[in-house]
Coordinates of all heavy atoms in Angstrom, one line a residue:
R310 N -41.1 -44.2 -30.9 CA -40.0 -43.4 -31.4 C -40.4 -42.3 -32.3 O -39.8 -41.3 -32.4 CB -39.0 -44.3 -32.2 CG -38.2 -45.2 -31.3 CD -37.3 -44.5 -30.4 NE -36.4 -45.4 -29.6 CZ -35.6 -45.0 -28.6 NH1 -35.5 -43.7 -28.4 NH2 -34.9 -45.9 -28.0
K311 N -41.6 -42.4 -33.0 CA -42.0 -41.4 -33.9 C -43.4 -40.9 -33.5 O -44.2 -41.6 -32.8 CB -42.0 -41.9 -35.3 CG -40.6 -42.3 -35.9 CD -40.7 -42.7 -37.3 CE -39.3 -43.1 -37.8 NZ -39.3 -43.5 -39.3
G312 N -43.8 -39.8 -34.0 CA -45.1 -39.3 -33.8 C -45.2 -38.3 -32.6 O -44.2 -38.0 -31.9
L313 N -46.4 -37.9 -32.2 CA -46.6 -36.9 -31.2 C -47.9 -37.3 -30.4 O -48.9 -37.4 -31.0 CB -46.7 -35.5 -31.8 CG -47.0 -34.4 -30.8 CD1 -45.9 -34.2 -29.8 CD2 -47.2 -33.1 -31.5
M314 N -47.8 -37.5 -29.1 CA -48.9 -37.9 -28.3 C -49.6 -36.6 -27.8 O -49.7 -36.3 -26.6 CB -48.5 -38.8 -27.2 CG -48.1 -40.1 -27.6 SD -49.5 -41.1 -28.3 CE -48.6 -42.1 -29.4
S315 N -50.2 -35.9 -28.8 CA -50.9 -34.7 -28.5 C -52.0 -34.5 -29.5 O -51.7 -34.7 -30.7 CB -50.0 -33.4 -28.5 OG -50.7 -32.2 -28.4
A316 N -53.2 -34.2 -29.1 CA -54.3 -34.0 -30.0 C -55.3 -33.0 -29.5 O -55.5 -32.9 -28.3 CB -55.1 -35.3 -30.2
L317 N -55.8 -32.1 -30.4 CA -56.7 -31.1 -30.0 C -58.1 -31.7 -30.1 O -58.7 -31.9 -31.1 CB -56.6 -29.9 -31.0 CG -57.0 -28.5 -30.4 CD1 -56.7 -27.4 -31.4 CD2 -58.5 -28.4 -30.0
V318 N -58.7 -32.1 -28.9 CA -59.9 -32.9 -28.9 C -61.2 -32.2 -28.6 O -62.2 -32.7 -28.6 CB -59.7 -34.0 -27.8 CG1 -58.6 -35.0 -28.2 CG2 -59.5 -33.5 -26.4
K319 N -61.0 -30.9 -28.2 CA -62.3 -30.1 -27.9 C -62.1 -28.7 -28.3 O -61.1 -28.0 -28.0 CB -62.6 -30.3 -26.4 CG -63.9 -29.8 -26.0 CD -64.2 -30.1 -24.5 CE -65.5 -29.7 -24.0 NZ -65.7 -30.0 -22.6
V320 N -63.1 -28.1 -28.9 CA -63.2 -26.7 -29.2 C -64.5 -26.1 -28.7 O -65.6 -26.7 -29.0 CB -63.0 -26.4 -30.7 CG1 -63.2 -24.9 -31.0 CG2 -61.7 -26.9 -31.2
E321 N -64.5 -25.0 -28.0 CA -65.7 -24.4 -27.4 C -65.6 -22.9 -27.7 O -64.6 -22.2 -27.5 CB -65.7 -24.6 -25.9 CG -65.6 -26.0 -25.4 CD -65.4 -26.1 -23.9 OE1 -66.4 -25.8 -23.2 OE2 -64.3 -26.4 -23.5
F322 N -66.8 -22.3 -28.1 CA -66.9 -20.9 -28.3 C -68.4 -20.5 -28.4 O -69.3 -21.4 -28.5 CB -66.2 -20.5 -29.6 CG -66.7 -21.1 -30.8 CD1 -67.7 -20.6 -31.7 CD2 -66.2 -22.4 -31.2 CE1 -68.1 -21.2 -32.8 CE2 -66.6 -23.0 -32.4 CZ -67.6 -22.4 -33.2
I323 N -68.7 -19.2 -28.3 CA -70.0 -18.7 -28.5 C -70.2 -18.3 -29.9 O -69.4 -17.5 -30.4 CB -70.3 -17.5 -27.6 CG1 -70.2 -17.9 -26.1 CG2 -71.8 -17.0 -27.8 CD1 -71.1 -19.0 -25.6
H324 N -71.2 -18.9 -30.6 CA -71.3 -18.6 -32.1 C -71.5 -17.1 -32.2 O -72.5 -16.5 -31.6 CB -72.5 -19.3 -32.6 CG -72.5 -19.4 -34.1 ND1 -72.7 -18.3 -34.9 CD2 -72.3 -20.5 -35.0 CE1 -72.6 -18.7 -36.2 NE2 -72.4 -20.0 -36.3
P325 N -70.7 -16.4 -33.0 CA -70.8 -14.9 -33.1 C -72.0 -14.4 -33.8 O -72.4 -13.3 -33.5 CB -69.5 -14.6 -33.9 CG -69.2 -15.8 -34.6 CD -69.5 -16.9 -33.8
K326 N -72.7 -15.2 -34.5 CA -74.0 -14.8 -35.2 C -75.2 -15.3 -34.4 O -76.2 -14.5 -34.2 CB -74.0 -15.3 -36.6 CG -73.3 -14.4 -37.6 CD -73.6 -14.8 -39.0 CE -72.9 -13.9 -40.0 NZ -73.3 -14.2 -41.4
L327 N -75.2 -16.6 -34.0 CA -76.3 -17.2 -33.4 C -76.4 -16.9 -31.9 O -77.4 -17.0 -31.3 CB -76.3 -18.7 -33.6 CG -76.3 -19.1 -35.1 CD1 -76.2 -20.6 -35.2 CD2 -77.4 -18.5 -35.9
G328 N -75.2 -16.6 -31.3 CA -75.2 -16.3 -29.8 C -75.4 -17.6 -29.0 O -75.6 -17.5 -27.8
T329 N -75.2 -18.8 -29.6 CA -75.4 -20.0 -28.9 C -74.0 -20.7 -28.6 O -73.1 -20.5 -29.4 CB -76.3 -21.0 -29.6 OG1 -75.7 -21.2 -31.0 CG2 -77.7 -20.4 -29.8
P330 N -73.9 -21.4 -27.5 CA -72.6 -22.1 -27.3 C -72.4 -23.2 -28.3 O -73.3 -24.0 -28.7 CB -72.8 -22.8 -25.9 CG -74.0 -22.0 -25.3 CD -74.8 -21.6 -26.4
V331 N -71.2 -23.4 -28.8 CA -70.8 -24.4 -29.7 C -69.7 -25.2 -29.0 O -68.6 -24.7 -28.7 CB -70.3 -23.9 -31.1 CG1 -69.8 -25.1 -32.0 CG2 -71.4 -23.1 -31.8
V332 N -69.9 -26.5 -28.8 CA -69.0 -27.4 -28.1 C -68.8 -28.6 -29.0 O -69.7 -29.4 -29.2 CB -69.4 -27.8 -26.7 CG1 -68.4 -28.7 -26.1 CG2 -69.7 -26.6 -25.8
I333 N -67.6 -28.7 -29.6 CA -67.3 -29.8 -30.5 C -66.2 -30.7 -29.9 O -65.1 -30.2 -29.5 CB -66.9 -29.3 -31.9 CG1 -67.9 -28.4 -32.4 CG2 -66.7 -30.5 -32.8 CD1 -69.3 -28.9 -32.6
C334 N -66.4 -32.0 -29.8 CA -65.4 -32.9 -29.2 C -65.1 -34.0 -30.2 O -65.9 -34.3 -31.1 CB -65.9 -33.6 -28.0 SG -66.4 -32.4 -26.7
M335 N -63.9 -34.6 -30.1 CA -63.6 -35.8 -30.9 C -62.9 -36.8 -29.9 O -62.4 -36.4 -28.9 CB -62.6 -35.4 -32.0 CG -61.3 -34.8 -31.6 SD -60.1 -34.7 -32.9 CE -59.3 -36.3 -32.9
D336 N -63.0 -38.0 -30.3 CA -62.3 -39.1 -29.5 C -60.8 -38.9 -29.6 O -60.3 -38.4 -30.6 CB -62.7 -40.5 -30.0 CG -64.2 -40.8 -29.7 OD1 -64.8 -40.1 -28.8 OD2 -64.8 -41.6 -30.5
E337 N -60.1 -39.3 -28.5 CA -58.7 -39.3 -28.6 C -58.2 -40.3 -29.7 O -58.9 -41.3 -30.0 CB -58.0 -39.6 -27.3 CG -58.2 -41.1 -26.9 CD -57.4 -41.4 -25.6 OE1 -57.1 -40.5 -24.8 OE2 -57.2 -42.6 -25.4
P338 N -57.1 -40.0 -30.4 CA -56.6 -41.0 -31.4 C -56.4 -42.4 -30.8 O -56.0 -42.5 -29.7 CB -55.3 -40.3 -31.8 CG -55.4 -38.9 -31.5 CD -56.2 -38.9 -30.2
A339 N -56.6 -43.4 -31.7 CA -56.5 -44.8 -31.2 C -55.1 -45.1 -30.7 O -54.9 -45.9 -29.9 CB -56.8 -45.7 -32.4
K340 N -54.1 -44.3 -31.3 CA -52.7 -44.6 -30.9 C -52.4 -44.3 -29.4 O -51.5 -44.8 -28.8 CB -51.7 -43.8 -31.8 CG -51.8 -42.3 -31.6 CD -50.8 -41.6 -32.5 CE -50.8 -40.1 -32.4 NZ -49.9 -39.4 -33.2
F341 N -53.2 -43.4 -28.8 CA -53.1 -43.1 -27.4 C -53.3 -44.4 -26.5 O -52.5 -44.7 -25.7 CB -54.0 -42.0 -27.0 CG -53.6 -40.6 -27.3 CD1 -53.1 -40.4 -28.6 CD2 -53.7 -39.6 -26.4 CE1 -52.8 -39.1 -28.9 CE2 -53.4 -38.3 -26.7 CZ -52.9 -38.1 -28.0
E342 N -54.4 -45.1 -26.8 CA -54.7 -46.3 -26.0 C -53.8 -47.4 -26.3 O -53.4 -48.2 -25.5 CB -56.2 -46.7 -26.2 CG -56.6 -48.0 -25.5 CD -56.4 -47.8 -24.0 OE1 -56.5 -46.7 -23.4 OE2 -56.1 -48.9 -23.3
Q343 N -53.3 -47.5 -27.6 CA -52.4 -48.5 -28.0 C -51.1 -48.3 -27.2 O -50.5 -49.3 -26.8 CB -52.1 -48.4 -29.5 CG -53.3 -48.8 -30.3 CD -53.2 -48.5 -31.8 OE1 -52.1 -47.9 -32.2 NE2 -54.1 -48.8 -32.6
L344 N -50.6 -47.1 -27.1 CA -49.4 -46.8 -26.3 C -49.5 -47.2 -24.9 O -48.7 -47.9 -24.3 CB -49.0 -45.4 -26.5 CG -47.8 -44.9 -25.6 CD1 -46.5 -45.7 -26.0 CD2 -47.5 -43.4 -25.7
R345 N -50.6 -46.7 -24.3 CA -50.9 -47.0 -22.8 C -51.0 -48.5 -22.6 O -50.4 -49.1 -21.7 CB -52.1 -46.3 -22.3 CG -52.0 -44.8 -22.2 CD -53.2 -44.2 -21.5 NE -54.4 -44.5 -22.2 CZ -55.1 -43.5 -22.9 NH1 -54.5 -42.3 -23.0 NH2 -56.2 -43.8 -23.6
S346 N -51.7 -49.2 -23.5 CA -51.9 -50.6 -23.3 C -50.6 -51.4 -23.5 O -50.3 -52.3 -22.7 CB -52.9 -51.1 -24.3 OG -53.1 -52.5 -24.2
R347 N -49.8 -51.0 -24.5 CA -48.5 -51.7 -24.7 C -47.6 -51.5 -23.6 O -46.9 -52.4 -23.1 CB -47.9 -51.1 -26.0 CG -46.7 -51.8 -26.5 CD -46.3 -51.4 -27.9 NE -46.2 -50.0 -28.1 CZ -46.9 -49.3 -28.9 NH1 -47.9 -49.8 -29.6 NH2 -46.7 -48.0 -29.0
D348 N -47.5 -50.3 -23.1 CA -46.6 -50.0 -21.9 C -47.1 -50.7 -20.7 O -46.3 -51.2 -19.8 CB -46.5 -48.5 -21.7 CG -45.1 -48.0 -22.1 OD1 -44.6 -48.5 -23.2 OD2 -44.5 -47.1 -21.5
Q349 N -48.4 -50.7 -20.5 CA -48.9 -51.4 -19.3 C -48.7 -52.9 -19.3 O -48.3 -53.5 -18.3 CB -50.4 -51.1 -19.2 CG -51.0 -51.4 -17.8 CD -52.4 -50.8 -17.6 OE1 -53.0 -50.2 -18.5 NE2 -52.9 -50.9 -16.4
K350 N -48.9 -53.5 -20.4 CA -48.6 -54.9 -20.5 C -47.1 -55.2 -20.3 O -46.8 -56.2 -19.6 CB -49.0 -55.4 -21.9 CG -50.5 -55.5 -22.1 CD -50.9 -56.0 -23.5 CE -52.4 -56.0 -23.7 NZ -52.8 -56.4 -25.1
A351 N -46.3 -54.4 -20.9 CA -44.8 -54.6 -20.7 C -44.5 -54.4 -19.2 O -43.6 -55.1 -18.7 CB -44.0 -53.6 -21.5
N352 N -45.1 -53.5 -18.5 CA -44.9 -53.3 -17.1 C -45.3 -54.5 -16.3 O -44.6 -54.9 -15.3 CB -45.6 -52.0 -16.6 CG -45.4 -51.7 -15.2 OD1 -46.2 -52.1 -14.3 ND2 -44.3 -51.0 -14.9
L353 N -46.5 -55.1 -16.6 CA -46.9 -56.2 -15.9 C -46.0 -57.4 -16.1 O -45.7 -58.2 -15.2 CB -48.3 -56.6 -16.4 CG -49.5 -55.6 -16.0 CD1 -50.8 -56.0 -16.7 CD2 -49.6 -55.6 -14.5
R354 N -45.4 -57.6 -17.3 CA -44.5 -58.6 -17.6 C -43.2 -58.4 -16.7 O -42.6 -59.3 -16.2 CB -44.1 -58.7 -19.1 CG -45.2 -59.2 -19.9 CD -44.7 -59.6 -21.3 NE -44.1 -58.4 -22.0 CZ -44.9 -57.7 -22.8 NH1 -46.2 -57.9 -23.0 NH2 -44.3 -56.6 -23.4
R355 N -42.8 -57.1 -16.7 CA -41.6 -56.8 -15.9 C -41.8 -57.1 -14.4 O -41.0 -57.7 -13.7 CB -41.2 -55.4 -16.1 CG -40.1 -54.9 -15.2 CD -39.7 -53.5 -15.5 NE -38.7 -53.0 -14.5 CZ -38.1 -51.8 -14.5 NH1 -38.5 -51.0 -15.5 NH2 -37.2 -51.5 -13.6
Q356 N -43.0 -56.7 -13.9 CA -43.3 -57.0 -12.5 C -43.3 -58.5 -12.2 O -42.7 -58.9 -11.2 CB -44.7 -56.5 -12.2 CG -44.8 -55.0 -12.0 CD -46.1 -54.5 -11.4 OE1 -46.8 -55.2 -10.7 NE2 -46.5 -53.3 -11.8
A357 N -43.9 -59.3 -13.1 CA -43.9 -60.7 -12.9 C -42.4 -61.3 -12.9 O -42.1 -62.1 -12.1 CB -44.7 -61.4 -14.0
N358 N -41.6 -60.8 -13.8 CA -40.2 -61.2 -13.8 C -39.5 -60.8 -12.6 O -38.6 -61.5 -12.0 CB -39.5 -60.6 -15.1 CG -40.0 -61.2 -16.4 OD1 -40.5 -62.4 -16.4 ND2 -39.9 -60.5 -17.5
D359 N -39.7 -59.5 -12.2 CA -39.1 -59.0 -11.0 C -39.5 -59.8 -9.7 O -38.6 -60.1 -8.9 CB -39.4 -57.5 -10.7 CG -38.7 -56.6 -11.8 OD1 -37.9 -57.1 -12.5 OD2 -39.0 -55.4 -11.8
M360 N -40.7 -60.1 -9.6 CA -41.2 -60.9 -8.5 C -40.5 -62.3 -8.5 O -40.1 -62.8 -7.4 CB -42.7 -61.1 -8.6 CG -43.5 -59.9 -8.4 SD -43.5 -59.2 -6.7 CE -44.7 -58.0 -6.8
E361 N -40.4 -62.9 -9.6 CA -39.7 -64.2 -9.7 C -38.3 -64.1 -9.3 O -37.7 -65.0 -8.6 CB -39.8 -64.8 -11.1 CG -39.2 -66.2 -11.3 CD -39.9 -67.2 -10.4 OE1 -41.0 -67.0 -10.0 OE2 -39.2 -68.2 -10.1
E362 N -37.6 -63.0 -9.7 CA -36.2 -62.8 -9.3 C -36.1 -62.6 -7.8 O -35.1 -63.1 -7.2 CB -35.7 -61.5 -10.0 CG -35.4 -61.7 -11.5 CD -34.3 -62.6 -11.8 OE1 -33.2 -62.6 -11.1 OE2 -34.5 -63.5 -12.7
L363 N -37.0 -61.9 -7.2 CA -37.0 -61.7 -5.8 C -37.2 -63.1 -5.1 O -36.5 -63.4 -4.1 CB -38.1 -60.8 -5.3 CG -37.8 -59.3 -5.7 CD1 -39.1 -58.5 -5.5 CD2 -36.7 -58.7 -5.0
R364 N -38.1 -63.9 -5.6 CA -38.3 -65.2 -4.9 C -37.0 -66.1 -5.1 O -36.6 -66.8 -4.1 CB -39.5 -65.9 -5.6 CG -40.8 -65.3 -5.3 CD -42.0 -66.1 -5.8 NE -43.2 -65.4 -5.7 CZ -43.8 -64.7 -6.7 NH1 -43.2 -64.7 -7.9 NH2 -45.0 -64.1 -6.4
K365 N -36.4 -66.0 -6.2 CA -35.2 -66.8 -6.4 C -34.1 -66.3 -5.5 O -33.2 -67.1 -5.0 CB -34.7 -66.7 -7.9 CG -35.5 -67.4 -8.9 CD -34.9 -67.3 -10.3 CE -35.7 -68.1 -11.3 NZ -35.1 -67.9 -12.7
G366 N -34.1 -65.0 -5.2 CA -33.1 -64.5 -4.3 C -33.4 -64.7 -2.8 O -32.7 -64.2 -1.9
G367 N -34.5 -65.4 -2.5 CA -34.9 -65.6 -1.2 C -35.5 -64.4 -0.5 O -35.5 -64.4 0.8
L368 N -36.0 -63.5 -1.2 CA -36.6 -62.3 -0.6 C -38.1 -62.3 -0.8 O -38.7 -62.9 -1.7 CB -36.1 -61.0 -1.3 CG -34.5 -60.8 -1.3 CD1 -34.2 -59.6 -2.0 CD2 -34.1 -60.7 0.2
D369 N -38.8 -61.6 0.2 CA -40.3 -61.6 0.1 C -40.7 -60.5 -0.9 O -40.4 -59.3 -0.7 CB -40.8 -61.2 1.5 CG -42.3 -61.0 1.5 OD1 -43.0 -61.5 0.6 OD2 -42.8 -60.4 2.5
P370 N -41.3 -60.9 -2.0 CA -41.7 -59.9 -3.0 C -42.6 -58.8 -2.5 O -42.5 -57.7 -2.9 CB -42.4 -60.8 -4.1 CG -41.9 -62.1 -3.8 CD -41.7 -62.3 -2.4
V371 N -43.5 -59.2 -1.6 CA -44.5 -58.2 -1.1 C -43.8 -57.0 -0.3 O -44.1 -55.9 -0.5 CB -45.6 -58.9 -0.2 CG1 -46.5 -57.8 0.4 CG2 -46.3 -59.9 -1.0
S372 N -42.9 -57.4 0.5 CA -42.2 -56.4 1.4 C -41.0 -55.7 0.7 O -40.6 -54.6 1.1 CB -41.7 -57.0 2.7 OG -40.8 -58.0 2.4

Side-chain angles (χ1 to χ4, degrees):
R310 290 291 185 185
K311 295 183 179 180
L313 177 63
M314 289 295 151
S315 173
L317 207 173
V318 297
K319 189 175 183 180
V320 174
E321 306 169 72
F322 59 94
I323 301 298
H324 197 292
K326 279 192 174 182
L327 305 178
T329 56
V331 178
V332 180
I333 307 299
C334 302
M335 63 171 272
D336 293 336
E337 69 173 23
K340 65 180 182 180
F341 280 45
E342 179 57 29
Q343 291 169 0
L344 174 63
R345 287 191 296 259
S346 177
R347 186 166 58 240
D348 253 37
Q349 193 163 8
K350 289 178 181 177
N352 181 265
L353 290 174
R354 288 194 299 269
R355 175 179 173 177
Q356 284 190 29
N358 292 336
D359 287 352
M360 293 291 190
E361 182 61 25
E362 288 292 317
L363 289 170
R364 291 189 187 97
K365 287 181 179 180
L368 301 177
D369 177 17
V371 176
S372 61

